[in-house]
Amino acid sequence: MTIRTRNRFIIFFMFISLMLLLGAGIITGLDYFSGNFAFPSSNSFTFMQNNFLFKFNFLAVVFSIFAFLFYTSFFFLFITIEFEKTQSSEIIFFSVFLFGCLTESIRLLVPVLNMWNNITTFTLFCTRTIIFGRICATVALLFSVICSSPDYRQYIEQNILIIFSGSLVIAILIPLNSYEMYPTGIISWGFGRLLRISMICILCVAIVSQFIKSFSSTHRTTMLAVGLLLISIGYYILCSSYNYFFLFSGFIPLFGGTFIYLKFLHKQYLWT
């Protein structure tokens, strides 16, 4: 993949994310102030529900989705400006990660269209899309580490195809419980614990691999691994955010870790 082709894709998704942020803000705002915004009728969370920061608050869920939209828009723009002429394999895979974050916006359709108690084929499709995005984002972070060397540069298209096709197959095959909708705007799925453990393991492998690379190379800094660690923690928490504590605990390390990661990644390519 040439730099020009990569930049075109990044600019395209930058405009998509900006339009989604603006459109979602307008539609959600109009729906909320007109009284048509549907809140979940039940709450399955029991931990510290008497505390403001920890109790379930659907507005915190909505803000977490908008946090993803703002995050993707900001860093697609950041990448477009800072890495315009930088031949970096990591940026391509990180853009796939941002694409995966972008799919979280689909959860806004549940309260806007009031799909809490009316689970249809479209609702199932939305949940599978979110699962697809989460798997894409997780695996993309791993590939950004293990496939970052120049030797893998000619296989970038094949690796991206592997990420998308593998994520799609899992998202299609995973069973969904159409009788249960989580108050975070996603349908309950089978093997949920197994999938979450697998995602955590993949993120851990990515972080450990980045630390190993940082120690074994002259110009690689451990700050790349630190940034990747913060990104992984923030992303996982923000995906599961259902209160204000998780909202801030997820967004701050996600945003800060990404800034650290991209800043030192840019410096690394300046050194080389």
Side-chain angles (χ1 to χ4, degrees):
M1 180 181 292
T2 64
I3 294 181
R4 178 177 295 181
T5 303
R6 183 205 67 185
N7 290 343
R8 286 176 178 174
F9 276 112
I10 292 175
I11 291 172
F12 171 76
F13 283 111
M14 179 189 70
F15 280 112
I16 292 294
S17 59
L18 287 171
M19 287 189 292
L20 279 175
L21 177 60
L22 180 62
I26 293 173
I27 294 173
T28 304
L30 290 174
D31 215 49
Y32 180 80
F33 289 108
S34 63
N36 296 320
F37 194 77
F39 288 80
S41 56
S42 61
N43 172 26
S44 57
F45 301 106
T46 58
F47 178 72
M48 295 185 69
Q49 292 301 292
N50 294 324
N51 187 294
F52 173 76
L53 284 176
F54 291 93
K55 72 177 182 180
F56 171 75
N57 190 317
F58 187 66
L59 288 180
V61 177
V62 174
F63 288 144
S64 71
I65 298 172
F66 276 100
F68 272 121
L69 286 173
F70 172 77
Y71 168 78
T72 53
S73 301
F74 180 87
F75 281 107
F76 268 131
L77 178 61
F78 183 89
I79 290 171
T80 301
I81 297 173
E82 294 293 327
F83 290 85
E84 181 182 7
K85 298 180 180 180
T86 305
Q87 181 68 279
S88 171
S89 303
E90 291 94 334
I91 286 300
I92 298 176
F93 292 114
F94 191 78
S95 298
V96 176
F97 168 76
L98 292 177
F99 167 79
C101 293
L102 204 58
T103 61
E104 294 295 324
S105 61
I106 296 176
R107 287 192 282 153
L108 284 173
L109 293 174
V110 176
V112 169
L113 300 178
N114 193 9
M115 297 190 295
W116 295 109
N117 300 313
N118 184 26
I119 297 178
T120 62
T121 304
F122 179 68
T123 316
L124 297 173
F125 170 78
C126 290
T127 295
R128 294 193 185 280
T129 303
I130 295 167
I131 296 172
F132 166 77
R134 291 183 180 182
I135 298 173
C136 273
T138 304
V139 179
L141 288 182
L142 176 62
F143 273 55
S144 70
V145 180
I146 64 176
C147 299
S148 61
S149 63
D151 298 335
Y152 289 96
R153 195 162 290 167
Q154 58 183 323
Y155 303 111
I156 287 178
E157 291 87 350
Q158 293 93 321
N159 289 329
I160 293 175
L161 181 61
I162 290 172
I163 294 173
F164 282 137
S165 57
S167 303
L168 183 62
V169 169
I170 295 174
I172 291 174
L173 294 180
I174 199 165
L176 300 180
N177 181 6
S178 58
Y179 294 100
E180 183 180 4
M181 172 78 78
Y182 289 135
T184 52
I186 189 170
I187 296 174
S188 169
W189 63 73
F191 308 108
R193 179 174 297 179
L194 177 62
L195 184 60
R196 284 189 289 271
I197 293 174
S198 300
M199 289 174 62
I200 292 174
C201 289
I202 291 173
L203 292 174
C204 288
V205 171
I207 295 165
V208 171
S209 300
Q210 186 62 68
F211 269 110
I212 293 174
K213 278 193 171 185
S214 298
F215 284 117
S216 60
S217 179
T218 305
H219 294 300
R220 291 184 183 271
T221 170
T222 55
M223 293 304 294
L224 282 175
V226 171
L228 193 63
L229 173 62
L230 292 174
I231 291 170
S232 302
I233 294 173
Y235 174 73
Y236 189 82
I237 294 176
L238 201 59
C239 281
S240 307
S241 176
Y242 65 87
N243 56 40
Y244 286 111
F245 177 78
F246 285 160
L247 171 62
F248 293 111
S249 298
F251 181 72
I252 293 174
L254 177 63
F255 194 92
T258 303
F259 192 81
I260 292 171
Y261 178 79
L262 294 179
K263 177 183 177 181
F264 283 92
L265 181 65
H266 190 261
K267 284 186 177 180
Q268 174 184 296
Y269 279 90
L270 289 178
W271 289 331
T272 56

